[in-house]
Amino acid sequence: MLTTALMVDINSALPLRLPPAAIPMDLRIDQHHHQQQLSMSPSAAQASAAQAREQQLQQELLSLKQKQQIQRQHLIAEFQRQHEQLNRQHEAQLQEHVKHQQELLAQDVELLAQDVVVTLCSPPCSIGRSSWPRML
């Protein structure tokens, strides 16, 4: 397969470059608004521009308030999630503590029962065997 390199001077195909100041450009989106301002007096045009700026600022403020509300909702949701997680951890710790206390109580009861058995089964040192209660 043969490929042929084609050399084209693209600079000759482009229009001459003009300095940016020589090219007037209207960057406004709303052409109808621009035409109205041209037909207005300078003070009316300024008032209209101020009104448009005020409307733009109001829109930006509304947008910021909506974003702030969304952030607030996210923060509340995150707080609730963390709070629920801490509650679960605390509940698990309490259950573990209760279990440990029950084990200690069971050990104390067992030791106390052993002491009672030992006390009841061993003869007292100062009392003779004849003074023990008789079992039928």
Side-chain angles (χ1 to χ4, degrees):
M1 196 186 266
L2 275 180
T3 58
T4 313
L6 182 61
M7 300 292 281
V8 176
D9 184 15
I10 62 168
N11 289 331
S12 63
L14 295 175
L16 292 176
R17 290 187 155 227
L18 295 175
I23 304 173
M25 296 180 71
D26 185 3
L27 299 176
R28 295 184 200 133
I29 297 173
D30 187 6
Q31 289 295 325
H32 178 71
H33 178 73
H34 177 61
Q35 289 172 354
Q36 281 181 341
Q37 280 190 340
L38 290 177
S39 63
M40 294 182 197
S41 67
S43 62
Q46 288 175 345
S48 178
Q51 183 181 11
R53 179 68 178 146
E54 176 70 23
Q55 186 177 9
Q56 178 188 4
L57 290 173
Q58 289 292 338
Q59 295 255 340
E60 289 175 12
L61 180 62
L62 179 63
S63 175
L64 287 173
K65 284 182 178 180
Q66 290 171 343
K67 288 177 184 177
Q68 187 179 36
Q69 180 66 22
I70 291 169
Q71 286 176 339
R72 185 179 297 123
Q73 289 171 349
H74 285 294
L75 285 172
I76 290 171
E78 178 64 17
F79 172 81
Q80 289 173 339
R81 185 190 68 76
Q82 289 181 4
H83 182 70
E84 290 170 5
Q85 181 181 6
L86 286 172
N87 278 341
R88 286 191 298 273
Q89 288 175 351
H90 185 244
E91 183 66 29
Q93 288 174 344
L94 286 175
Q95 292 295 332
E96 187 64 29
H97 178 71
V98 167
K99 180 181 173 184
H100 182 67
Q101 292 294 347
Q102 288 173 341
E103 290 170 356
L104 290 176
L105 182 60
Q107 288 175 2
D108 288 348
V109 167
E110 185 179 333
L111 290 174
L112 185 59
Q114 287 174 359
D115 285 347
V116 168
V117 168
V118 168
T119 304
L120 289 176
C121 293
S122 63
C125 295
S126 61
I127 304 173
R129 202 168 187 60
S130 61
S131 63
W132 277 28
R134 293 191 175 189
M135 300 267 219
L136 298 176

